[in-house]
Amino acid sequence: MRTGRARTRGELQNYTGLSRSTITQRIDVLRAGGYLRAGGVEESTGGRPAELLEFDTAHGVVLVADLGANHARAAVVDLSGRVLTEEHEPIKIGTGPEAVLSWVDAALRRVLAATGWDAGQVRGIAVGVPGPVEFDAGMVTQPPLMPGWDGYPIAERLRRGWQRPVYVDNDANLMALGEQAVHYPDCPALVLVKVATGISAGVVIDGRVYRGIDGGAGDIGHIRLYEHREARCECGLYGCLAAVASGLALAQRLTASGTRTSSGAELVERIRSGHAEAVHLARTAGKLVGEVLSTVVCMVNPAVLVIAGDLADIHFVTGVREVLYQCALPRSTRHLEVSASRLGAQSVVVGGYAMVVDQVYAPDAVDAELARLMPAGVPVSC
């Protein structure tokens, strides 16, 4: 019902194969729990018009915290996917978990209060971070851009204060999920590469994020480039892609050439103003990323490759395309769409919302919540 694949009891019977009495029982419980509501009636074709049912978007809201290397964003999203309000602040992730999460907690409470919803109506909280995440544990592991965060229990820290489900994921994963959910819902395989202070990728297969065994999937920023083995990376190793093609690396290189550039955001300003050296660096970085992505494309064979992050401008994307189509097998790219992010700065928020909804409204989660809400003895699952 939430996805719109079924709208009536009859359609549910056809879709699930369950009996009408079982369907009716389940719908009654879901309506009592606030999950479904009446949405009118079907246009009559001569008989009694069927009642239309729909997911009740007034069931609550989702909170999302988007934490980047140099920024933080807090947002409230309703269950139709609409961002109601948000707040952002130039906070450095390197100041540590206590300072950053204290801001997150306070900011989420401010934006929630501004919408008129209360904490009891929050269905879940998503947190996106610029580092590898052990999803089930809700913590980052050995994050190069997040000193002091290794093993910190992010989800547990927020869960204690809110008493709501909290899910933590890598920001590139959430960006990929957001792009897929909004713009490519039928895409069976999508890869998003985020190029900002660091470089990472998110992979969505059949609508689900692929995280690997412990959250390390998509960490392409630390693929080693033999030709650049002298470049030291933030992770402590040498020759990583991020050490030569990330926003931080390019800003440092531009500064070394005589144009002081303190951040990836400032680098982007120079690129957009037509600064020749900045444009050249962006195009060259795009080629390096395109070389790595040619391997990714051959392995995953995605239908869509999205370029996102601060550097996702025309010069960088042109560099990616130029090398990607040269190096990858023609068979791997013949049906490939390469595009810049269409959600932009909202992609983590949208992806965080999609992640929470998928988790909170999964069948087992709904059964558990209905069992808590319904009187003893009332069957809640089928």
Side-chain angles (χ1 to χ4, degrees), residues 348-380:
V348 172
V349 171
V350 174
Y353 153 79
M355 177 179 67
V356 169
V357 167
D358 283 347
Q359 295 288 329
V360 171
Y361 293 98
D364 289 347
V366 172
D367 284 346
E369 180 65 6
L370 289 175
R372 187 182 70 82
L373 294 174
M374 294 296 110
V378 176
V380 298

Coordinates of all heavy atoms in Angstrom, one line a residue, residues 348-380:
V348 N 21.5 13.8 0.8 CA 21.6 13.0 2.1 C 20.3 13.1 2.9 O 19.9 12.0 3.4 CB 22.8 13.6 2.9 CG1 22.8 12.9 4.3 CG2 24.1 13.3 2.2
V349 N 19.7 14.2 2.9 CA 18.4 14.3 3.6 C 17.3 13.4 3.0 O 16.7 12.6 3.7 CB 17.9 15.8 3.6 CG1 16.5 15.9 4.2 CG2 18.8 16.6 4.5
V350 N 17.2 13.4 1.7 CA 16.2 12.6 1.0 C 16.6 11.1 1.2 O 15.7 10.3 1.4 CB 16.2 12.9 -0.5 CG1 15.3 12.0 -1.2 CG2 15.7 14.4 -0.7
G351 N 17.9 10.8 1.0 CA 18.3 9.4 1.2 C 18.1 8.9 2.7 O 17.7 7.7 2.9
G352 N 18.4 9.8 3.6 CA 18.2 9.4 5.0 C 16.7 9.2 5.3 O 16.4 8.2 6.0
Y353 N 15.8 10.0 4.8 CA 14.4 9.7 4.9 C 14.0 8.4 4.3 O 13.3 7.6 5.0 CB 13.6 10.9 4.2 CG 12.2 10.5 3.7 CD1 11.2 10.4 4.6 CD2 12.0 10.1 2.4 CE1 9.9 10.0 4.1 CE2 10.8 9.7 1.9 CZ 9.7 9.6 2.8 OH 8.5 9.2 2.3
A354 N 14.5 8.1 3.1 CA 14.2 6.8 2.5 C 14.7 5.6 3.3 O 14.0 4.6 3.4 CB 14.8 6.8 1.1
M355 N 15.9 5.8 3.9 CA 16.4 4.7 4.7 C 15.5 4.4 5.9 O 15.2 3.3 6.2 CB 17.8 5.0 5.1 CG 18.4 4.0 6.0 SD 20.1 4.3 6.5 CE 19.9 5.8 7.5
V356 N 15.2 5.5 6.6 CA 14.3 5.3 7.8 C 13.0 4.7 7.5 O 12.5 3.8 8.1 CB 14.1 6.7 8.5 CG1 13.0 6.6 9.6 CG2 15.4 7.2 9.1
V357 N 12.4 5.2 6.4 CA 11.0 4.6 6.0 C 11.2 3.2 5.7 O 10.3 2.3 6.1 CB 10.5 5.5 4.9 CG1 9.3 4.7 4.2 CG2 10.0 6.8 5.4
D358 N 12.2 2.8 4.9 CA 12.4 1.4 4.6 C 12.6 0.5 5.8 O 12.1 -0.6 5.9 CB 13.6 1.2 3.7 CG 13.3 1.6 2.2 OD1 12.1 1.8 1.9 OD2 14.2 1.8 1.5
Q359 N 13.3 1.0 6.8 CA 13.5 0.3 8.1 C 12.3 0.2 9.0 O 11.9 -0.8 9.4 CB 14.7 0.9 8.8 CG 16.0 0.8 8.1 CD 16.6 -0.6 8.1 OE1 16.4 -1.4 9.0 NE2 17.4 -0.9 7.0
V360 N 11.7 1.4 9.2 CA 10.6 1.5 10.2 C 9.3 0.9 9.7 O 8.5 0.3 10.4 CB 10.3 3.0 10.5 CG1 9.1 3.2 11.4 CG2 11.5 3.5 11.3
Y361 N 9.1 0.9 8.3 CA 7.9 0.3 7.8 C 8.1 -1.0 7.1 O 7.3 -1.5 6.3 CB 7.2 1.3 6.8 CG 6.7 2.6 7.5 CD1 7.5 3.7 7.6 CD2 5.5 2.5 8.2 CE1 7.1 4.8 8.3 CE2 5.1 3.6 8.9 CZ 5.8 4.8 9.0 OH 5.4 5.8 9.7
A362 N 9.2 -1.7 7.4 CA 9.4 -3.1 7.0 C 8.4 -3.9 7.8 O 8.0 -3.6 8.9 CB 10.9 -3.5 7.3
P363 N 8.0 -5.1 7.2 CA 7.0 -5.9 7.8 C 7.3 -6.3 9.3 O 6.4 -6.2 10.1 CB 7.0 -7.2 6.9 CG 7.4 -6.7 5.6 CD 8.4 -5.6 5.8
D364 N 8.5 -6.7 9.6 CA 8.8 -7.1 10.9 C 8.7 -6.0 11.9 O 8.2 -6.1 13.1 CB 10.2 -7.8 11.0 CG 10.3 -9.1 10.4 OD1 9.2 -9.7 10.1 OD2 11.4 -9.6 10.1
A365 N 9.2 -4.8 11.5 CA 9.1 -3.6 12.3 C 7.7 -3.2 12.6 O 7.3 -2.8 13.7 CB 9.9 -2.5 11.7
V366 N 6.8 -3.3 11.5 CA 5.4 -2.9 11.7 C 4.7 -3.9 12.6 O 4.0 -3.5 13.5 CB 4.7 -2.9 10.3 CG1 3.2 -2.7 10.5 CG2 5.3 -1.7 9.5
D367 N 5.0 -5.2 12.5 CA 4.4 -6.2 13.4 C 4.8 -5.9 14.8 O 4.0 -6.0 15.7 CB 4.9 -7.6 13.0 CG 4.2 -8.1 11.7 OD1 3.2 -7.5 11.3 OD2 4.7 -9.1 11.2
A368 N 6.1 -5.6 15.0 CA 6.5 -5.3 16.4 C 5.9 -4.1 17.0 O 5.5 -4.1 18.2 CB 8.1 -5.2 16.4
E369 N 5.7 -3.1 16.2 CA 5.1 -1.9 16.7 C 3.6 -2.1 17.0 O 3.0 -1.6 18.0 CB 5.3 -0.7 15.7 CG 4.6 0.6 16.1 CD 5.3 1.2 17.4 OE1 6.3 0.7 17.9 OE2 4.7 2.3 17.9
L370 N 2.9 -2.8 16.1 CA 1.5 -3.1 16.3 C 1.3 -4.0 17.5 O 0.3 -3.8 18.3 CB 0.9 -3.8 15.1 CG 0.8 -2.9 13.8 CD1 0.3 -3.7 12.6 CD2 -0.2 -1.8 14.1
A371 N 2.2 -4.9 17.7 CA 2.1 -5.8 18.9 C 2.2 -5.0 20.2 O 1.6 -5.3 21.2 CB 3.2 -6.9 18.9
R372 N 3.0 -3.9 20.1 CA 3.1 -3.0 21.3 C 1.9 -2.1 21.5 O 1.5 -1.9 22.6 CB 4.3 -2.1 21.1 CG 4.7 -1.2 22.3 CD 5.9 -0.3 22.0 NE 5.6 0.7 21.0 CZ 5.0 1.9 21.4 NH1 4.7 2.1 22.6 NH2 4.7 2.8 20.4
L373 N 1.2 -1.8 20.4 CA 0.1 -0.8 20.5 C -1.2 -1.5 20.7 O -2.1 -1.0 21.4 CB 0.0 0.0 19.1 CG 1.1 0.9 18.8 CD1 0.9 1.5 17.4 CD2 1.2 2.0 19.8
M374 N -1.4 -2.7 20.1 CA -2.7 -3.4 20.2 C -2.9 -4.1 21.5 O -2.0 -4.6 22.1 CB -2.8 -4.4 19.0 CG -2.8 -3.8 17.6 SD -4.3 -2.7 17.4 CE -3.5 -1.1 17.4
P375 N -4.2 -4.2 21.9 CA -4.5 -5.0 23.1 C -4.1 -6.4 23.0 O -4.0 -7.0 21.9 CB -6.1 -4.9 23.2 CG -6.4 -3.7 22.4 CD -5.4 -3.7 21.3
A376 N -3.8 -7.1 24.1 CA -3.3 -8.4 24.2 C -4.4 -9.3 23.5 O -5.6 -9.2 23.7 CB -3.1 -8.9 25.6
G377 N -3.9 -10.3 22.7 CA -4.9 -11.2 22.1 C -5.3 -10.8 20.7 O -5.8 -11.6 20.0
V378 N -5.0 -9.6 20.3 CA -5.4 -9.1 18.9 C -4.3 -9.5 18.0 O -3.1 -9.1 18.1 CB -5.6 -7.6 18.9 CG1 -5.8 -7.1 17.4 CG2 -6.7 -7.2 19.8
P379 N -4.6 -10.4 17.0 CA -3.5 -10.8 16.0 C -3.1 -9.6 15.1 O -3.9 -8.9 14.7 CB -4.2 -11.9 15.2 CG -5.6 -11.6 15.3 CD -5.9 -11.0 16.6
V380 N -1.8 -9.4 15.0 CA -1.3 -8.2 14.3 C -0.5 -8.6 13.0 O -0.2 -7.7 12.2 CB -0.4 -7.4 15.1 CG1 -1.1 -6.9 16.3 CG2 0.9 -8.1 15.6

